[in-house]
Amino acid sequence: MKRLFSLCLFIIIAFAIGAEEIPVRKSNYLEISTFHFPCADGTDIIFWDDSLNGDSDIFAQKISSNGICLWNENICVVDEPGDQFIVDMVATSDHNCIILWQDNYQTSSSNYFMQKITSSGQCLWNSSGIPLIDESFWIEPIKLVADNAGGAHIVYSKEWYLNHYLYRQKIDTFGNLLFPFANTIIYTDTMFVALKNAVSDDAGGVIVAMSKNEHPLDPQKTYLIHLSADGNITGNIPMVMDAGLNTDNYNILKSIGNQIILWGTYYSSNNTCTSFRKMDTEGNLLSELPTSFQFPSYLTDGHYPPAATPEGGIIFAWEETSSNLLKIQKYNSDLLPVWQEGGVNVGTLEGDEITFQLWAKNEGSVLVSWSILFGSITQELIYNAQLINPQGLRCWGDNGMIIGNSAYFMSYASSVNADHNIFVWYENDYTLMGVKHRVINNAGIDLL
């Protein structure tokens, strides 16, 4: 039976307190999840792993768009023997969400379970969750993709360093698995095969990107396959024979409607380049040639994964090591640059950048957040954020705004809602670990 730790539980009080950082929870052990559920009414449910009941369970709290905790008590959504950790989450078409967690209990491998949760925190399926598989092993990576009927597709690889198989499963809105455990392999090869990414086709199905080697000494190559709404392969394998991106090892992003963005990074004349192009969900390329961007200097580092914009474009960021500048560029729905040549300065990176996140907001602005590690002996992490308006101008000063501090380590999840920007992060001050959050509007004013 799990031990009940005597820990301090801090619930946010609904009154204005300026720019002070607010704890949602403090503990001797917890870890914030990067997965969160933006509800249809503008609220947000955040998840974390917590030792309140002895070993690690999954807890949640709902936050209003103004940053107020809406549940009187944090909800324990998974309370089982052993340690549970969320590995993916997806919002469903019926305005609920499905979480998938890894369960470690008396084994060196893991089991995996799913639960459907309403915006009020109610668990709709079996209290112990729905098992994804009937055996214990490591899955890496794994993706949940919502269908159009309240359920989700699950695509995954096992033991990536030895894997020759790609798997899929489908769960309906009531928690029923549509495929027997023995019928989940959708692709196999004598060479290495692994999931790279999976995105919705906007019609209940999934576009899957997998990496594979055609020959032992060949570099990895991306293959795209299409799963229909019922979870079965449809169309050609691969969907695209040659994406024309100057690299065969590329990735995918969901764009608007039935459009998918293909993107890849490659090297040319000692410089790093990013190339991107659109296709439809039938595998038809939507432009005669790809769009390419050459980073300004061979000293460019940290070319981060891009993000899709609500209007059908793409944004990406990079670090220029020679000047310690963090920069960003935005492309419109025709994949033409929106901002000045060379990109927009987000801020100066004076320490070692540790984590980075990028969001495109509905009104055309871009939110960027990152953490910086200072000091070689006494290390300190600073969590920063910057808002770039639709015209490419910095809204929060030349170097952005400091959101929070940490004495050791920080991971976080942030969400964007209209004029409100909700920042949620994990903080460790060597004595207690905590989940904190702030809500800042586009003008840079704290709303708590």
Side-chain angles (χ1 to χ4, degrees):
M1 181 179 294
K2 296 186 177 181
R3 308 181 305 276
L4 181 62
F5 283 10
S6 295
L7 300 174
C8 295
L9 183 63
F10 293 87
I11 303 298
I12 296 173
I13 302 175
F15 61 90
I17 56 173
E20 183 181 354
E21 300 158 2
I22 310 299
V24 173
R25 166 84 168 99
K26 282 192 174 182
S27 171
N28 289 328
Y29 169 78
L30 58 79
E31 182 175 345
I32 185 70
S33 168
T34 56
F35 303 107
H36 58 101
F37 173 32
C39 304
D41 60 0
T43 59
D44 206 69
I45 298 178
I46 62 173
F47 298 92
W48 67 92
D49 307 313
D50 201 321
S51 63
L52 180 66
N53 297 329
D55 44 25
S56 179
D57 297 314
I58 299 171
F59 284 75
Q61 176 59 260
K62 189 175 186 179
I63 300 176
S64 73
S65 60
N66 291 321
I68 305 303
C69 284
L70 298 177
W71 295 336
N72 291 332
E73 294 183 357
N74 299 325
I75 293 177
C76 185
V77 295
V78 180
D79 180 10
E80 295 294 323
D83 296 325
Q84 294 85 41
F85 308 94
I86 293 182
V87 294
D88 206 0
M89 189 224 76
V90 68
T92 55
S93 62
D94 55 1
H95 306 299
N96 300 307
C97 75
I98 296 173
I99 64 170
L100 184 146
W101 69 88
Q102 174 183 316
D103 186 280
N104 300 330
Y105 181 58
Q106 296 181 343
T107 177
S108 59
S109 297
S110 295
N111 292 302
Y112 296 82
F113 297 84
M114 291 172 286
Q115 180 62 265
K116 191 173 188 179
I117 303 171
T118 69
S119 58
S120 61
Q122 178 186 4
C123 294
L124 297 179
W125 296 339
N126 184 303
S127 60
S128 297
I130 306 298
L132 172 64
I133 48 181
D134 63 348
E135 56 182 321
S136 179
F137 54 78
W138 290 102
I139 289 178
E140 186 180 350
I142 188 166
K143 288 286 293 184
L144 286 175
V145 179
D147 64 14
N148 54 4
H153 300 264
I154 309 98
V155 189
Y156 58 98
S157 304
K158 298 180 186 177
E159 300 171 348
W160 65 270
Y161 53 91
L162 295 173
N163 190 48
H164 302 285
Y165 305 96
L166 188 69
Y167 300 81
R168 66 85 170 85
Q169 182 57 272
K170 191 169 189 300
I171 193 165
D172 69 15
T173 187
F174 305 107
N176 301 307
L177 297 178
L178 271 63
F179 297 99
F181 294 127
N183 185 30
T184 54
I185 296 174
I186 52 171
Y187 189 87
T188 183
D189 200 296
T190 57
M191 296 292 104
F192 169 84
V193 173
L195 174 68
K196 193 161 195 173
N197 201 3
V199 300
S200 171
D201 68 355
D202 223 34
V206 187
I207 306 297
V208 180
M210 62 178 173
S211 290
K212 67 184 299 291
N213 292 93
E214 294 185 333
H215 302 284
L217 299 180
D218 285 352
Q220 290 183 12
K221 184 175 182 178
T222 299
Y223 269 43
L224 301 181
I225 61 174
H226 190 184
L227 299 184
S228 63
D230 59 10
N232 292 307
I233 292 179
T234 182
N236 297 322
I237 302 178
M239 295 178 66
V240 178
M241 290 301 299
D242 183 5
L245 295 176
N246 296 305
T247 175
D248 289 328
N249 190 10
Y250 57 89
N251 212 323
I252 59 175
L253 281 174
K254 178 71 178 75
S255 189
I256 57 175
N258 70 336
Q259 297 180 355
I260 308 295
I261 297 176
L262 319 178
W263 70 274
T265 300
Y266 64 97
Y267 298 93
S268 176
S269 302
N270 296 321
N271 274 30
T272 303
C273 302
T274 292
S275 185
F276 38 99
R277 195 174 192 177
K278 286 186 179 181
M279 75 169 196
D280 64 22
T281 51
E282 300 301 319
N284 301 304
L285 297 173
L286 300 181
S287 60
E288 185 175 350
L289 295 171
T291 299
S292 294
F293 176 79
Q294 180 174 292
F295 295 101
S297 167
Y298 71 92
L299 294 175
T300 296
D301 191 16
H303 30 281
Y304 308 103
T309 66
E311 62 269 21
I314 188 173
I315 49 177
F316 56 89
W318 67 96
E319 175 189 346
E320 291 189 359
T321 53
S322 58
S323 59
N324 290 325
L325 285 177
L326 179 62
K327 304 191 76 173
I328 187 173
Q329 182 58 282
K330 183 178 183 181
Y331 284 75
N332 64 18
S333 59
D334 295 321
L335 301 184
L336 298 174
V338 175
W339 295 331
Q340 64 192 30
E341 184 178 355
V344 172
N345 294 340
V346 174
T348 301
L349 305 179
E350 297 178 349
D352 295 326
E353 185 269 330
I354 302 298
T355 53
F356 176 85
Q357 290 185 312
L358 185 66
W359 299 268
K361 299 185 66 173
N362 288 331
E363 87 285 357
S365 61
V366 175
L367 183 65
V368 186
S369 70
W370 67 97
S371 61
I372 298 291
L373 180 66
F374 292 93
S376 58
I377 300 176
T378 305
Q379 295 186 332
E380 182 182 14
L381 271 169
I382 306 297
Y383 176 20
N384 304 270
Q386 177 67 274
L387 185 71
I388 308 295
N389 72 11
Q391 291 72 44
L393 300 177
R394 296 184 293 275
C395 298
W396 295 346
D398 289 342
N399 289 308
M401 180 182 298
I402 295 177
I403 302 299
N405 300 278
S406 172
Y408 176 61
F409 179 75
M410 184 184 303
S411 61
Y412 53 87
S414 301
S415 63
V416 181
N417 177 53
D419 184 53
H420 300 167
N421 307 286
I422 303 176
F423 298 92
V424 182
W425 71 96
Y426 157 75
E427 194 164 293
N428 183 349
D429 64 2
Y430 292 108
T431 58
L432 281 178
M433 302 177 185
V435 177
K436 293 187 175 182
H437 81 290
R438 286 174 68 181
V439 180
I440 301 171
N441 67 14
N442 288 355
I445 300 171
D446 279 271
L447 299 181
L448 284 175

